[in-house]
Amino acid sequence: MAKHSWGVDLYQMSLVPDHWRIQRSRSNLGACLVKLERYHEAEEQLLASYAGLKAIRGDQHVDTQKAVSHLVEPYESWCKPEKAGPYRALPHANPDKSKK
């Protein structure tokens, strides 16, 4: 068990594999790893959490929307805006824009 993922690991041991709390925890972990400038690790967690939350909760759920915004941040900080673009363009990445 890696030091930085104990919350995710605990959820994985106690919940069913496709539980939304595991994915939300991964998203939060990824956001923390971005703050630590550990972009490669953050990207891995954030991509997994976004895919999981989208499958479990759908595009319009607040957890999925937050996962998308968490996913854009490391690419911007990592100077890879071309990777952020497709996620930034998603309608559910900007819920205010999709309501207009």
Side-chain angles (χ1 to χ4, degrees):
M1 179 164 36
K3 281 185 182 180
H4 65 271
S5 66
W6 64 268
V8 174
D9 293 338
L10 287 174
Y11 276 140
Q12 287 177 326
M13 288 187 295
S14 60
L15 300 170
V16 294
D18 62 343
H19 199 283
W20 62 269
R21 286 186 180 177
I22 295 170
Q23 305 310 325
R24 189 172 67 182
S25 183
R26 275 194 166 143
S27 182
N28 291 333
L29 172 60
C32 291
L33 290 167
V34 169
K35 301 293 184 205
L36 294 171
E37 298 181 0
R38 292 166 60 179
Y39 302 121
H40 184 71
E41 294 171 85
E43 179 184 38
E44 183 181 317
Q45 294 296 323
L46 293 169
L47 286 170
S49 71
Y50 171 65
L53 286 167
K54 184 177 175 186
I56 296 165
R57 296 264 183 166
D59 289 346
Q60 300 305 314
H61 194 277
V62 68
D63 287 341
T64 307
Q65 293 171 355
K66 194 170 193 175
V68 172
S69 64
H70 283 168
L71 191 50
V72 169
E73 190 177 344
Y75 293 133
E76 296 293 335
S77 300
W78 203 1
C79 299
K80 294 186 178 191
E82 69 283 356
K83 284 190 161 191
Y87 296 104
R88 194 181 306 106
L90 293 171
H92 56 278
N94 301 299
D96 295 334
K97 286 185 182 178
S98 63
K99 292 178 185 174
K100 292 182 181 176

